[in-house]
Amino acid sequence: MASFIFNSCFIYLCIVFSLLRCEGVHAFEGRKIAENNEHLLQLQLNDLLPSHACKLSTTVGENATSMKVVHKHGPCSQLSENVAAPNLLETLIQDQARVDSINSKILWSSDQSDVRETDATKLPATSGVSLGTGNYVVTVGFGTPMKKLPLIFDTGSDLTWTRCTSRDQFNPIRSKSYFNVSCSSRLCSSVTTATGNSPKCTSSTCVYGIEYGDGSYSIGFLAKEKLSLGSVDTFENFYFGCGQDNDGLFGDAAGLIGLGRAKLSIVSQTETKYKKLFSYCIPSSSSTGFLNFGASISKTAKFTPLSTKSSASSFYDLDLIGITVGGKTLSIPPSVFSTAGTIIDSGTVITRLPPSAYSALRSTFRAAMSRYPLTKALSILDTCYDFSKFKTINVPKILLSFNGGTKLAVDVQGVFISNGVQQVCLAFAGNNDGREKGIIGNTQQKNYEVIYDVGRGKVGFAPGAC
């Protein structure tokens, strides 16, 4: 077993980005939303206020690998945070940094020749992998004996890693099943795809380095260990990053679980058992959701094919083809969506659309909401309302249409994001350029089971899952 003392000098990226946390950023909690008619939803004013009590979901997975998902800063989380969560403006700045990083990663993946060869003191500045680490936490087991670790999950990342120092939750010296990966192993070369950075060597051990847009980072050994998921499933030789030098805004989370599509992702490594099938339900900040491997809860989910125009190995590309607002299908040429394409992402908060598509959505939504007073914009959100004088609000339904006839009827929790009842904003934004990727963000995914059947090349949606 290689030494666990690892000294590294490095220059980390200067992109301003921090973890997506939403305490102080209010989604709509709790009460049942009554449908006003076929094309409207009715929202109670109290639903704009944050809840400080944890609401446990009654929905549980049918398989043994169902794991509870909680918001890192919500009342259901058992993590103790020592720093204040960002407000909505800070969250939007962080979210834009993630979007910029996604576009950077796509460019990097399409032309890996852009990655500069550097010595051990530098990591390539052209790497686009610095996405940020998301906000939703699941607990998995590492080692022998098993140690339970809370990990942030992210569909835009590939490498799973955890802190591996004696002062942190996982100490590999105490595990009988831990082994370092040598530099000569073919798995070592997979680090480049999984992190965007070329691997290094120390004492013949493969060394990874991964950076996030906020300057957070993890540097350590590529290793293999026993991984435990749910109550019964174990994987004896799971490859992961054993972080020796970690710093940033991870809080008390032990690391990250990568749900991307590259060789080192957990999805690829568990393919033999789970057939590259997983699903999750992203809850509100005061509720619980789930992450399942190998099975889904819903028997009635509607599926859309993964796009054949995939732009990067980590991402899940879908063919968005239309938008309906309040029963009105927007007049948007198909080429507007197909030019850059669309991905679905668990870590992006606000859905991004091509500029002309967002413009059509905004104008139609504003017309349907004309009885409510607009208020000042907030960062990238330019359609915000003051609901302080209303007890109920009628909200036009928003449907996102995908290839194959699948429609995602956005839950009312996915329509708005709130800075309090006096500034409630439409949770969509336009890209700066029609060539930038559209992104289906996690706000619009809330309360849906999102099913990734990667082996069969499709993604499904089932409402009311958590």
Side-chain angles (χ1 to χ4, degrees), residues 87-210:
N87 58 32
L88 179 54
L89 179 58
E90 292 167 334
T91 297
L92 295 173
I93 293 171
Q94 296 161 9
D95 200 44
Q96 187 58 48
R98 181 181 176 93
V99 170
D100 293 341
S101 296
I102 286 174
N103 284 292
S104 175
K105 184 174 182 178
I106 290 170
L107 289 174
W108 175 81
S109 297
S110 64
D111 186 5
Q112 293 193 29
S113 64
D114 286 343
V115 180
R116 297 196 300 270
E117 292 296 327
T118 59
D119 58 34
T121 64
K122 292 185 178 181
L123 294 171
T126 52
S127 168
V129 78
S130 52
L131 300 185
T133 54
N135 228 17
Y136 294 93
V137 178
V138 296
T139 298
V140 303
F142 269 87
T144 307
M146 183 185 71
K147 182 69 175 180
K148 290 185 177 181
L149 301 173
L151 301 180
I152 299 166
F153 77 86
D154 187 0
T155 59
S157 297
D158 293 298
L159 181 70
T160 295
W161 64 267
T162 185
R163 308 183 205 208
C164 283
T165 57
S166 58
R167 67 180 183 273
D168 288 313
Q169 294 176 319
F170 179 66
N171 188 345
I173 294 177
R174 299 174 182 171
S175 175
K176 299 177 182 179
S177 49
Y178 176 91
F179 294 94
N180 284 327
V181 174
S182 71
C183 293
S184 60
S185 170
R186 285 187 295 179
L187 265 298
C188 187
S189 62
S190 298
V191 166
T192 302
T193 303
T195 68
N197 299 321
S198 299
K200 308 300 178 184
C201 283
T202 181
S203 301
S204 75
T205 298
C206 184
V207 176
Y208 76 91
I210 189 167

Side-chain angles (χ1 to χ4, degrees), residues 21 23 72-73 80-85 249 251:
R21 298 169 292 183
E23 191 172 287
K72 184 168 171 286
H73 295 281
S80 59
E81 292 298 325
N82 299 316
V83 295
L249 301 179

